[in-house]
Amino acid sequence: MVKLARLSKTYARGEAGVAALHEVTLEVGRGEFCAFVGPSGCGKSTLLNLVGGLDQPSSGELFLDGRATTAFTSHDWTVVRREVLGIVFQAFHLVPGLTALENVALPLMLRGERGGAVTRRAEDVLESVQMARRRHHRPGELSGGEQQRVAIARALAHRPKVLLADEPTGNLDSHQGAEIMTLIRSLAKAGGVTVLLVTHSQTAAQCADYIWTMQDGRLVSRTLTSALTGVA
């Protein structure tokens, strides 16, 4: 579902270049849940940004759902984010003036969908994240955990094949964070969604099927978790 072939990203800094990602080769299959951990600056967020089309690689190739993205235009990436990708950020990024229901409906409306089908889908997804009773509340009226649940619902509203989660528990306390990770895993597995998670939290990472540790822009080691092996 997601394939990286010798993918690299170098940022210019004065006359020198800083290699944020160095020839990463990786394949994450359909329905797999993969976490990336490592110290700040190790390249994990850069990797996620490249997969999401939020940044462009310096070299190498990226494939999404079997399609090479090398020649993608800005419009192509916009279509991919509307059709294939769902993204959850640490900072929620909900629209303050919209209700929870309207925030979740937004990606569907951006695809040109209208009418009762949009409302029903938004209500169904809010129900799946236990936020149906708060559907008419605006972000400022919700707790951090509740806002992240709405953000997850919004990311899944258009039935993406790939969910990118960038530090989704970073602004939450440990209890809320555990609830959010359990929710992401259960929703993703139920829908067969491929998940790429970037996190500093080893507890959050343990919800994945396996964990890639990164260092200096490289993949260092891959560890299976109890979530995949069934070990308590």
Side-chain angles (χ1 to χ4, degrees):
M1 178 54 66
V2 178
K3 181 179 178 181
L4 285 59
R6 298 173 67 89
L7 202 68
S8 297
K9 179 63 180 182
T10 300
Y11 293 101
R13 185 168 296 174
E15 295 183 358
V18 177
L21 206 66
H22 185 72
E23 295 193 346
V24 171
T25 295
L26 170 72
E27 188 163 356
V28 184
R30 189 179 303 275
E32 292 184 352
F33 190 156
C34 175
F36 298 90
V37 301
S40 296
C42 71
K44 56 187 186 296
S45 289
T46 298
L47 187 155
L48 211 66
N49 287 339
L50 294 177
V51 175
L54 304 176
D55 203 350
Q56 300 303 310
S58 302
S59 62
E61 293 182 285
L62 167 66
F63 299 85
L64 290 175
D65 198 18
R67 297 177 60 195
T69 64
T70 306
F72 271 17
T73 64
S74 176
H75 174 71
D76 292 331
W77 275 112
T78 297
V79 172
V80 165
R81 283 191 288 269
R82 289 179 182 174
E83 303 293 336
V84 179
L85 299 175
I87 306 178
V88 178
F89 299 98
Q90 176 179 348
F92 316 139
H93 290 308
L94 299 175
V95 180
L98 300 182
T99 66
L101 184 68
E102 291 166 341
N103 266 282
V104 174
L106 189 58
L108 301 175
M109 297 180 70
L110 290 174
R111 295 202 307 182
E113 299 182 34
R114 295 290 186 273
V118 170
T119 301
R120 286 191 295 273
R121 174 60 184 166
E123 288 177 338
D124 286 346
V125 185
L126 281 172
E127 178 68 36
S128 73
V129 300
Q130 295 90 51
M131 285 296 293
R133 63 185 177 84
R134 305 282 273 168
R135 63 186 179 276
H136 297 308
H137 290 73
R138 289 178 170 77
E141 301 169 317
L142 304 174
S143 70
E146 288 174 331
Q147 289 186 63
Q148 193 61 292
R149 285 174 180 268
V150 174
I152 292 168
R154 181 184 59 186
L156 295 174
H158 61 294
R159 298 181 176 87
K161 297 179 180 179
V162 179
L163 180 66
L164 307 179
D166 190 0
E167 297 284 4
T169 63
N171 284 333
L172 307 177
D173 62 34
S174 58
H175 177 70
Q176 290 176 327
E179 287 187 339
I180 289 300
M181 287 312 307
T182 299
L183 178 63
I184 289 176
R185 179 170 180 84
S186 63
L187 291 174
K189 288 301 178 180
V193 178
T194 300
V195 181
L196 274 62
L197 165 72
V198 161
T199 182
H200 279 96
S201 168
Q202 285 291 337
T203 301
Q206 287 297 321
C207 289
D209 297 328
Y210 52 90
I211 303 168
W212 274 106
T213 299
M214 297 186 67
Q215 185 174 344
D216 299 329
R218 303 173 187 268
L219 299 178
V220 176
S221 63
R222 180 177 182 269
T223 307
L224 297 181
T225 69
S226 58
L228 183 64
T229 62
V231 177

